Amino acid sequence: MSGIKRIFIIGQAGAGKGLVAKTLAQKLGWNIFDADFGMEYTMGRSLQQILGEDGSKSFHQRETEILAHMLSRENVVINTDAAIVDNEKNRQILSNEFTVFVNVSTDIQLQRLAESNQEPLLPVTDLESFLNKLHEDRDHFYDEVSNFAFSSDDGKLEEHVNSIINAIS
């Protein structure tokens, strides 16, 4: 392996980050750390709407502390929260690590979230618009910080995980 000690998994809710992280860690024989809080989808509101400006800043500070702590660990796959890229310091940290962007279209995202039987706690008048807005706000940041990206729309988990392993070998 090419000296890579940590792999960060980023992307939207419903992209399959958790499955990718778990499968990748198993195949590599590495540990997994799950820092995907899933608050936005669970609450049906953006992080800023849930926590307010100060709370959102505090949340991102905690994310930064988690990322910084992970930098001292080796042989670990880290599944991150969708909001991880909202903070510039987090983007800087991710840019310096091996980061995988698991992309997903809104249509597939809606399908997967519906299949998970996890309804937002608060009613979202238009979930598709909500998710499209999150894509608009974040996908360019995911692209910016990632070393490797793929669309999980096709559901080919094993194939994508093997591609990640080939990319780091």
Side-chain angles (χ1 to χ4, degrees):
M1 219 160 303
S2 65
I4 291 172
K5 300 173 184 175
R6 292 163 293 281
I7 300 172
F8 291 86
I9 309 296
I10 61 174
Q12 301 283 358
K17 299 185 310 281
L19 284 172
V20 169
K22 180 180 177 184
T23 306
L24 181 60
Q26 286 174 341
K27 284 192 171 225
L28 293 172
W30 288 11
N31 294 314
I32 185 169
F33 182 81
D34 193 349
D36 184 359
F37 307 108
M39 281 182 19
E40 290 173 318
Y41 177 72
T42 302
M43 298 298 291
R45 300 285 183 267
S46 71
L47 194 58
Q48 193 144 358
Q49 290 171 318
I50 297 167
L51 302 175
E53 183 68 31
D54 290 339
S56 180
K57 286 180 185 173
S58 178
F59 179 82
H60 289 306
Q61 178 58 37
R62 299 296 83 75
E63 284 182 320
T64 302
E65 290 169 5
I66 290 169
L67 287 178
H69 176 71
M70 288 293 109
L71 296 179
S72 68
R73 310 248 336 248
E74 294 186 4
N75 301 329
V76 64
V77 177
I78 303 101
N79 181 32
T80 65
D81 189 78
I84 197 83
V85 295
D86 289 350
N87 177 277
E88 185 177 341
K89 189 164 188 165
N90 294 345
R91 291 192 304 269
Q92 289 171 350
I93 292 170
L94 291 168
S95 292
N96 292 318
E97 294 293 320
F98 192 84
T99 303
V100 175
F101 172 25
V102 182
N103 199 352
V104 65
S105 67
T106 302
D107 288 342
I108 298 297
Q109 194 178 14
L110 285 165
Q111 182 181 336
R112 288 181 184 160
L113 293 170
E115 289 170 359
S116 74
N117 294 323
Q118 182 184 11
E119 292 291 321
L121 295 176
L122 299 173
V124 178
T125 54
D126 185 355
L127 185 56
E128 184 174 5
S129 293
F130 173 70
L131 296 174
N132 280 333
K133 176 74 170 125
L134 292 177
H135 278 280
E136 180 182 313
D137 292 346
R138 293 187 180 136
D139 283 359
H140 66 282
F141 287 133
Y142 294 136
D143 279 328
E144 180 183 300
V145 303
S146 63
N147 308 84
F148 189 90
F150 65 89
S151 171
S152 67
D153 284 5
D154 60 13
K156 296 180 180 177
L157 176 66
E158 292 290 325
E159 187 176 307
H160 295 302
V161 168
N162 289 335
S163 293
I164 296 167
I165 292 170
N166 287 337
I168 64 173
S169 296

